[in-house]
Amino acid sequence: MESAGDAGLFMAEAMAMAEEALAAGEVPVGCVFVRDRKIIAKARNRTNELRNATRHAELEAIDEILSDPRLTSTGAGRYPLSDTTLYVTVEPCIMCASALRQMGIKEVFYGCTNDRFGGCGGVISVNSSIEHPSHPPYNAAGGYLREEAILILRRFYVTENSNAPAPKSKANRVLKTEILPQ
């Protein structure tokens, strides 16, 4: 079981992955999957790099876990992530929140809310409030390194995305550093 002190450590690792994503021209989202206080997988967004809208950080890391039989045969039940915790810089989107539920994730800690696509309460609670006949709900909590997560997203969104189909000029945008309380 991870402790509150562990959350800061693992969120810092997720933020490092988000920084890597930013450096690669991706929406800066990073994550780590933790089991028994050890990181078993970490990833960042790769949607622009791979030109595939499904290559979110969470799905990249899940693919890494599923490709290694040592990481999926945990003896924890029929769900490969039932003894695993996810730390991610931004609330998982609806697609990722659903995938996490199908994989039986134990719990999720995230930095900031995803007001447009959040699947853990930001828009809809795919993680727990929607009934499912077989996939168990999971707890999700936000606010871990929230300000850092918001600022790295703002750093990305003030730049021009050369990978966008019709890039918008953002020459007049200014990085806002004030963050309102939750």
Side-chain angles (χ1 to χ4, degrees), residues 10-22 30 42-44 89 152:
F10 294 127
M11 282 302 294
E13 286 290 327
M15 284 301 302
M17 295 306 297
E19 288 285 351
E20 189 177 303
L22 181 64
K42 58 185 178 178
R44 62 171 177 83
T89 57
I152 195 170

Side-chain angles (χ1 to χ4, degrees), residues 82-122:
S82 60
D83 58 354
T84 307
T85 299
L86 169 65
Y87 296 87
V88 61
T89 57
V90 178
E91 173 190 2
C93 72
I94 295 165
M95 171 182 69
C96 292
S98 178
L100 291 164
R101 186 159 182 185
Q102 292 175 51
M103 298 296 294
I105 193 82
K106 179 176 142 186
E107 59 191 344
V108 173
F109 296 99
Y110 59 88
C112 62
T113 301
N114 184 339
D115 294 329
R116 293 184 67 196
F117 306 108
C120 296

